[in-house]
């Protein structure tokens, strides 16, 4: 699927990190990703996103030992966080709303699987960058695809 560049929506490159950078999602062996059980849950939940929100377009993604890279397009997404009293509100159909629901779904399933209601899967928040054109999209896709090969020198690799 090719991401559309429709400026009524947002195409984003996102990185979501594990809690305390723990390598609980996957293992890299010879440049190949071997998913751990939590990584399999992450992948299942991410792929369900298209069913839950058919207007969202999933593109390249990669589950790494302690982070998750993805490219996603959310149409007509007002990506501003509105302050309401003392509470931050995610606009409906935004990248923040999508990722908040995704992270919550993963956390719920992992806690059930571990039988540990306190287990934290994710760091708070996520890193994102709007993709503005086809060239930037292709560079981002290549970066995501090559991430396992470059794990030995990745700044997020605790053994680096």
């Amino acid at each position: 699927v090719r991401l559309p560049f429709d400026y009524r929506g947002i195409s984003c490159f996102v990185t979501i990190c594990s809690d305390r950078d723990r390598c609980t999602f996957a293992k890299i062996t010879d440049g190949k990703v071997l998913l751990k059980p939590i990584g399999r849950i992450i992948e299942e939940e991410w792929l369900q996103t298209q069913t839950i929100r058919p207007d969202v377009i999933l593109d390249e993604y990669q589950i790494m030992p302690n982070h998750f890279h993805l490219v996603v397009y959310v149409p007509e997404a007002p990506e501003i966080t509105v302050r309401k009293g003392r509470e931050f509100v995610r606009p409906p159909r935004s990248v923040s709303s999508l990722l908040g629901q995704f992270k919550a779904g993963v956390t719920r399933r992992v806690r059930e699987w571990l039988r540990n209601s306190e287990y934290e899967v994710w760091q708070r928040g996520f890193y994102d960058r709007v993709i503005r054109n086809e060239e930037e999209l292709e560079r981002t896709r290549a970066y995501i695809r090559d991430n396992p090969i470059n794990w030995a020198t990745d700044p997020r690799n605790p053994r680096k």
Side-chain angles (χ1 to χ4, degrees), residues 44-56 58 98 101-102 105 108:
E44 289 167 9
E45 287 292 315
W46 184 242
L47 294 176
Q48 282 184 14
T49 299
Q50 193 86 60
T51 304
I52 296 166
R53 294 178 174 218
D55 55 337
V56 169
L58 308 183
L98 167 72
Q101 291 172 7
F102 163 72
R108 179 188 46 75

Side-chain angles (χ1 to χ4, degrees), residues 8-150:
R8 290 176 296 166
I10 293 180
S11 299
C12 273
F13 168 50
V14 177
T15 301
I16 312 172
C17 297
S18 67
D19 182 58
R20 294 178 289 190
D21 286 322
R22 292 179 301 200
C23 292
T24 55
F25 300 167
K27 180 176 155 183
I28 306 292
T29 303
D30 298 326
K32 302 244 188 276
V33 177
L34 305 170
L35 294 180
K36 294 180 178 181
I38 293 175
R40 286 193 292 276
I41 291 171
I42 291 167
E43 185 169 56
E44 289 167 9
E45 287 292 315
W46 184 242
L47 294 176
Q48 282 184 14
T49 299
Q50 193 86 60
T51 304
I52 296 166
R53 294 178 174 218
D55 55 337
V56 169
I57 299 171
L58 308 183
D59 199 84
E60 199 76 42
Y61 71 92
Q62 186 65 256
I63 299 167
M64 296 294 290
N66 59 5
H67 60 284
F68 176 41
H69 288 306
L70 60 103
V71 174
V72 64
Y73 172 79
V74 179
E76 299 176 14
E79 188 52 52
I80 52 173
T81 303
V82 180
R83 190 168 177 96
K84 188 175 186 179
R86 305 193 78 173
E87 181 180 331
F88 284 99
V89 179
R90 292 184 185 107
R93 295 172 39 102
S94 69
V95 173
S96 292
S97 176
L98 167 72
L99 295 176
Q101 291 172 7
F102 163 72
K103 288 170 67 174
V106 169
T107 299
R108 179 188 46 75
R109 285 190 55 197
V110 168
R111 286 176 175 176
E112 287 172 2
W113 172 67
L114 292 174
R115 295 188 175 119
N116 178 347
S117 63
E118 304 295 316
Y119 188 84
E120 293 296 335
V121 177
W122 307 105
Q123 285 182 10
R124 185 179 167 132
F126 56 88
Y127 303 96
D128 64 328
R129 187 181 77 235
V130 173
I131 298 173
R132 303 199 184 277
N133 57 47
E134 190 71 30
E135 182 181 320
E136 187 175 349
L137 175 61
E138 290 306 321
R139 276 194 317 269
T140 302
R141 285 176 173 153
Y143 173 80
I144 290 172
R145 278 190 303 270
D146 293 343
N147 213 233
I149 296 164
N150 297 319

